[in-house]
Amino acid sequence: MGIKEIRKKKWFAIVTNMYVLVLTAFLIWMVFFDTNSLLIHWELKREIRNLEKQREFLQEEISRDKKIIEKLSDPEELEKFAREQYYLKKKNEEIYLIEYEDSIKSKKDE
């Protein structure tokens, strides 16, 4: 099969058409090399999705924290929170921390 036979084929005439060549070069340029290329758009869309997920997570955290703040506005709840989380106590009061076997075993495993 020589070059003359290839030139007679219909697909060769289509591929070597000037408009097809320019269009192909343009598409390759737009997909890979341009500053607004398709690859960059995909990467930016992925980043936007990640940021939206992070935003949803942070919105949930904010609403949870608002509920805690609302709950802690009550003095009795504030005292309960301080006792449970920070082991605070009143004067002349003793606190005994009881650890269960499961928590002791998990601490030994670490």
Side-chain angles (χ1 to χ4, degrees), residues 68 72 74-90 93 95 97:
I68 290 173
L72 292 178
D74 181 26
E76 291 178 8
E77 288 293 327
L78 183 62
E79 182 181 344
K80 179 182 175 186
F81 180 80
R83 288 174 174 268
E84 289 176 357
Q85 296 297 319
Y86 299 109
Y87 307 114
L88 297 178
K89 62 178 187 145
K90 293 181 181 179
E93 185 178 60
I95 295 179
L97 297 177

Side-chain angles (χ1 to χ4, degrees), residues 29-105:
W29 180 264
M30 291 305 291
V31 170
F32 296 107
F33 302 114
D34 193 45
T35 56
N36 298 319
S37 72
L38 189 61
L39 300 175
I40 291 174
H41 278 282
W42 285 342
E43 187 176 318
L44 291 174
K45 282 184 182 181
R46 186 174 356 112
E47 187 176 338
I48 287 171
R49 263 187 260 116
N50 290 338
L51 289 172
E52 286 174 349
K53 287 179 185 177
Q54 183 179 5
R55 180 177 179 228
E56 289 175 15
F57 171 75
L58 292 174
Q59 290 289 353
E60 291 172 6
E61 289 290 315
I62 288 170
S63 65
R64 189 176 54 85
D65 289 344
K66 282 182 180 180
K67 287 177 185 176
I68 290 173
I69 290 171
E70 206 174 282
K71 187 177 176 183
L72 292 178
S73 64
D74 181 26
E76 291 178 8
E77 288 293 327
L78 183 62
E79 182 181 344
K80 179 182 175 186
F81 180 80
R83 288 174 174 268
E84 289 176 357
Q85 296 297 319
Y86 299 109
Y87 307 114
L88 297 178
K89 62 178 187 145
K90 293 181 181 179
K91 290 183 180 180
N92 300 325
E93 185 178 60
E94 292 184 25
I95 295 179
Y96 296 99
L97 297 177
I98 300 173
E99 292 187 13
Y100 297 102
E101 283 187 43
D102 294 337
S103 62
I104 294 172
K105 286 181 183 178

